Amino acid sequence: MRQIPVDTTSATVMVAKAPQPKIKDRRTGEIALDKDGVTLMTVEVMFSTPDEVEILKLTVPQPGVSEDLAMGTPVALTGLVASAWENEFNGQKRHGIAFRAVAVTSLAAAASKPKAA
């Protein structure tokens, strides 16, 4: 599956929903892991550019998720990529775009630190 890098330089990004473990199987509640056995998290962010605002659901490895990511926290996205997906379930075809990031880092701590003189 081809991954397309997403340019975030002109975007304002804030947490829309606090991070949650990504569920692999809703019936069993099994948590999704990456190929190295690391827990995957889902983080919903408001991605705002001068032309539009969207809510993106990102998949991020747990070590890449900053602490204290509450709704409204400004964040930086590292290594954001988009991938097209398609599957068939019960005879119905579905498709969309999945977003994955290496890290979601809070910018709130950096903004609150006093500047050195």
Side-chain angles (χ1 to χ4, degrees):
M1 180 178 343
R2 181 152 168 21
Q3 294 184 333
I4 303 164
V6 178
D7 180 11
T8 62
T9 54
S10 66
T12 299
V13 185
M14 293 190 313
V15 174
K17 186 175 178 184
Q20 307 275 328
K22 182 174 179 147
I23 305 298
K24 179 178 180 178
D25 186 333
R26 291 184 196 151
R27 291 172 293 168
T28 64
E30 181 182 358
I31 303 296
L33 305 175
D34 70 6
K35 63 181 174 14
D36 298 320
V38 175
T39 299
L40 295 174
M41 303 294 286
T42 299
V43 183
E44 292 186 39
V45 297
M46 181 189 76
F47 191 90
S48 174
T49 63
D51 299 329
E52 63 185 290
V53 175
E54 290 191 50
I55 301 294
L56 303 180
K57 188 180 280 193
L58 311 176
T59 298
V60 186
Q62 190 172 27
V65 177
S66 279
E67 304 258 336
D68 302 325
L69 289 184
M71 187 168 73
T73 304
V75 293
L77 304 177
T78 303
L80 181 62
V81 294
S83 303
W85 61 269
E86 181 176 286
N87 65 21
E88 190 170 329
F89 184 73
N90 289 337
Q92 300 240 339
K93 283 193 175 188
R94 299 178 58 201
H95 57 88
I97 299 173
F99 293 93
R100 185 175 177 115
V102 172
V104 177
T105 309
S106 173
L107 296 176
S112 65
K113 287 184 183 174
K115 296 192 184 211

